[in-house]
Amino acid sequence: MAVVGGGVVGLTCALELARAGHRVRLLTADPVERTTSAVAAALWSPYRAFPMASVLRWAAVSLEVLTTLAGRADTGVALRPGVVVHRGGGPDERWSAAPGRRPASPGELPAGAPAGTRCVLPVVDTGRYLPWLLAACRAAGVAVEQRRVTRWDDVPGDVVVLAAGLASGPLLDDDSGVPVQGQVVRLADPGLTGWLLDEDHPEGLTYVVPRGTDVVCGGTAVEGATGTDPDPAVEAAVLTRVRALVPELRDAPVLSRAVGLRPGRPAVRLERVGSGGRPVVACYGHGGAGVTLSWGCAAEVVALV
């Protein structure tokens, strides 16, 4: 069988299918370091993914797996405390399963934030995690081939799992996908002990995710934008927001910057379909929650296969 897509969802599906006893070939258009997954701040966060009931179920499975992986030094996964800022409407149900969840104290909130939730969540350093996941696939017997798939005739195998993000829809004549552009800037880590997520910041989506050697700062969520070159003006605005919320970052130098296109869709598509005379399991449209949903969706893919 074949898995199309070499980002975090495709890799996780391939690994779980191989562990379940299937012979798997993974086709990926890009090396792991050039996938959209490589740009992600990758804090466990059910962001811009629907429907919520399914998303929370898949996310809970991933939370358990990632928590286990955090006990291994080679995975790039760490459990870190942090604060989700709430700027109205009360606590968000997405955080109901977060370990150690409690209301943030005034001293734990950034300036101007009215309320928040304090919890401990997995933070995934994708620069280490994706190569670990790829190595785990190969160790499990997955054959990995770098090849861009544009038609079904290019895909070997009697069963296909389609997990290629934004490239998935065209293969199934599905035009419901939309890119959601995200820009990040990575700063040197001055020794931050926790992350910060402020989705409803009045000046735009803002997050600060320390990973030990760097801090991923963002961000943007521009629906329909397709550019992948960092915009200096956007970066300046992001840095203004994050440095106001986290003063420790005011003198932190910029290490790198990146732009990724999240695979937006009205709902995650995870179902059996038929195409090219073969069974196909579609698994795409994870929005900004690929890492967060990956293990839960992979388990369901295995069941569907």
Side-chain angles (χ1 to χ4, degrees), residues 138-155:
R138 287 179 165 142
V142 176
V144 180
E145 182 177 342
Q146 189 171 328
R147 189 206 309 177
R148 188 174 301 276
V149 173
T150 58
R151 56 184 189 138
W152 287 114
D153 289 347
D154 296 334
V155 183

Side-chain angles (χ1 to χ4, degrees), residues 29 50 55 59 61 106 123 174 185 258 260 263 273 276 302:
F50 313 95
V55 163
V61 174
V123 171
D174 174 9
V185 55
V273 297
V302 172

Side-chain angles (χ1 to χ4, degrees), residues 107-159:
E108 293 168 332
L109 292 168
T117 294
R118 177 86 172 179
C119 53
V120 177
L121 295 174
V123 171
V124 178
D125 181 346
T126 55
R128 296 165 58 198
Y129 180 70
L130 293 173
W132 171 84
L133 200 53
L134 178 61
C137 283
R138 287 179 165 142
V142 176
V144 180
E145 182 177 342
Q146 189 171 328
R147 189 206 309 177
R148 188 174 301 276
V149 173
T150 58
R151 56 184 189 138
W152 287 114
D153 289 347
D154 296 334
V155 183
D158 55 349
V159 179

Side-chain angles (χ1 to χ4, degrees), residues 87-288:
R87 293 187 180 270
D92 191 323
E93 67 172 325
R94 292 176 298 165
W95 312 105
S96 59
R101 179 176 59 96
R102 62 170 174 79
S105 67
E108 293 168 332
L109 292 168
T117 294
R118 177 86 172 179
C119 53
V120 177
L121 295 174
V123 171
V124 178
D125 181 346
T126 55
R128 296 165 58 198
Y129 180 70
L130 293 173
W132 171 84
L133 200 53
L134 178 61
C137 283
R138 287 179 165 142
V142 176
V144 180
E145 182 177 342
Q146 189 171 328
R147 189 206 309 177
R148 188 174 301 276
V149 173
T150 58
R151 56 184 189 138
W152 287 114
D153 289 347
D154 296 334
V155 183
D158 55 349
V159 179
V160 180
V161 173
L162 181 58
L166 286 170
S168 300
L171 286 167
L172 291 177
D173 295 321
D174 174 9
D175 62 1
S176 62
V178 60
V180 181
Q181 184 194 64
Q183 179 167 331
V184 300
V185 55
R186 305 179 186 104
L187 305 181
D189 191 346
L192 298 184
T193 57
W195 47 267
L196 178 71
L197 177 59
D198 190 354
E199 292 183 12
D200 298 319
H201 190 287
E203 295 176 17
L205 168 67
T206 306
Y207 50 85
V208 174
V209 183
R211 304 191 300 188
T213 57
D214 65 5
V215 184
V216 183
C217 300
T220 62
V222 186
E223 192 165 307
T226 58
T228 55
D229 293 326
D231 183 328
V234 170
E235 179 176 307
V238 167
L239 289 175
T240 296
R241 296 199 301 273
V242 301
R243 286 171 170 161
L245 292 176
V246 184
E248 297 94 322
L249 293 175
R250 284 177 183 163
D251 297 321
V254 173
L255 300 180
S256 64
R257 49 186 60 87
V259 175
L261 303 179
R262 305 177 183 94
R265 195 173 184 274
V268 175
R269 188 174 189 183
L270 182 44
E271 61 179 345
R272 282 188 298 231
V273 297
S275 187
R278 291 175 289 182
V280 174
V281 175
C283 183
Y284 61 89
H286 296 83

